[in-house]
Amino acid sequence: MEGMMFYWIYWSFWVYLTFLTDKKNPYRRKLSAIILIVILLSNHQFKLGEYDIHASGLFLLLMCYLFLSQEKRGAILYFYICSLIVSIGYVAFHLFEIFDPVWIIFKKEWMMGIGFGYLAILLQKSLKGRLLIAICGTMQGEFLYAYTLNKFPFPYEIGGLEYLDACALISALLVAWSAIENAGTFFQTHYHFFEKGKQKSS
């Protein structure tokens, strides 16, 4: 059922940020509010010219642009290039799905999640950067894909529940990968702490 993965993952993120994250974290309230608004807007859509656009996807894209605008000028250019690479890959994936569906070897959302998650990891070092280019790039890809399909008799909803499922899965995989990366630093720090404690006690 479309949207179930999105709701489960985003509600999990919201619960974690609201109740488990350190209250001193500067991103805690902003991200909690953004996630809640995305969930509330998920069933709302509007028509812009020939295109049907879901409000939640457009809101995510605008939030990405807002966060990117706060970066330095050189970083903004690199973020834009990275998001453009993701957008082109996103459109190519969907076009291959239409014209050569044989290569979709398992569930599409998981192929997209793993593929674009890995691409974001290659292009950016921080979790924030990875999430921004993944969400921004895929949503830009939605507009580009809808524009491409406009030449064919294929109706398409921009930023619909199918997209939100894929977007949520990419986000979850990136967060999980970041946790694995930071786990090494965490255990290394605590290992040295315990080693120092043993040396003092001896």
Side-chain angles (χ1 to χ4, degrees):
M1 184 177 178
E2 288 184 2
M4 288 302 295
M5 188 182 298
F6 157 71
Y7 288 119
W8 274 108
I9 292 173
Y10 270 53
W11 272 122
S12 299
F13 282 163
W14 185 82
V15 169
Y16 178 79
L17 288 166
T18 305
F19 300 108
L20 301 175
T21 305
D22 185 359
K23 293 182 178 180
K24 295 180 182 178
N25 189 312
Y27 293 107
R28 175 176 165 270
R29 288 187 177 180
K30 291 179 183 178
L31 291 177
S32 298
I34 289 170
I35 289 170
L36 192 59
I37 292 171
V38 170
I39 293 171
L40 292 173
L41 291 176
S42 60
N43 288 320
H44 293 80
Q45 64 185 86
F46 60 94
K47 200 168 185 65
L48 185 64
E50 300 176 350
Y51 303 103
D52 290 317
I53 305 173
H54 279 252
S56 50
L58 183 61
F59 177 75
L60 276 174
L61 182 61
L62 293 176
M63 287 298 100
C64 286
Y65 286 156
L66 180 62
F67 278 109
L68 289 175
S69 68
Q70 297 169 1
E71 299 290 330
K72 294 179 181 178
R73 187 172 298 177
I76 291 175
L77 179 60
Y78 180 66
F79 272 115
Y80 175 74
I81 293 170
C82 291
S83 67
L84 189 60
I85 292 170
V86 175
S87 298
I88 293 169
Y90 186 86
V91 175
F93 180 95
H94 279 82
L95 290 177
F96 271 115
E97 180 194 2
I98 292 176
F99 298 110
D100 191 15
V102 177
W103 71 282
I104 305 292
I105 53 177
F106 56 93
K107 199 167 176 63
K108 182 176 72 172
E109 288 80 5
W110 281 96
M111 286 189 67
M112 291 173 63
I114 295 169
F116 292 111
Y118 182 65
L119 183 59
I121 289 168
L122 291 178
L123 294 171
Q124 289 288 330
K125 292 182 179 179
S126 69
L127 175 60
K128 177 185 175 183
R130 290 166 180 172
L131 288 171
L132 284 175
I133 67 164
I135 296 172
C136 183
T138 52
M139 192 57 204
Q140 288 173 169
E142 280 279 291
F143 280 98
L144 187 56
Y145 180 56
Y147 174 76
T148 305
L149 284 187
N150 195 37
K151 300 174 183 178
F152 304 97
F154 301 143
Y156 188 75
E157 295 180 356
I158 299 173
L161 290 175
E162 184 179 346
Y163 164 77
L164 291 175
D165 276 344
C167 182
L169 183 57
I170 294 169
S171 302
L173 291 174
L174 288 174
V175 170
W177 182 259
S178 180
I180 293 170
E181 285 182 328
N182 293 325
T185 307
F186 176 82
F187 285 118
Q188 188 176 14
T189 304
H190 281 68
Y191 175 76
H192 287 306
F193 175 78
F194 285 123
E195 282 294 309
K196 289 179 181 179
K198 286 180 181 179
Q199 290 173 3
K200 288 181 182 179
S201 61
S202 59

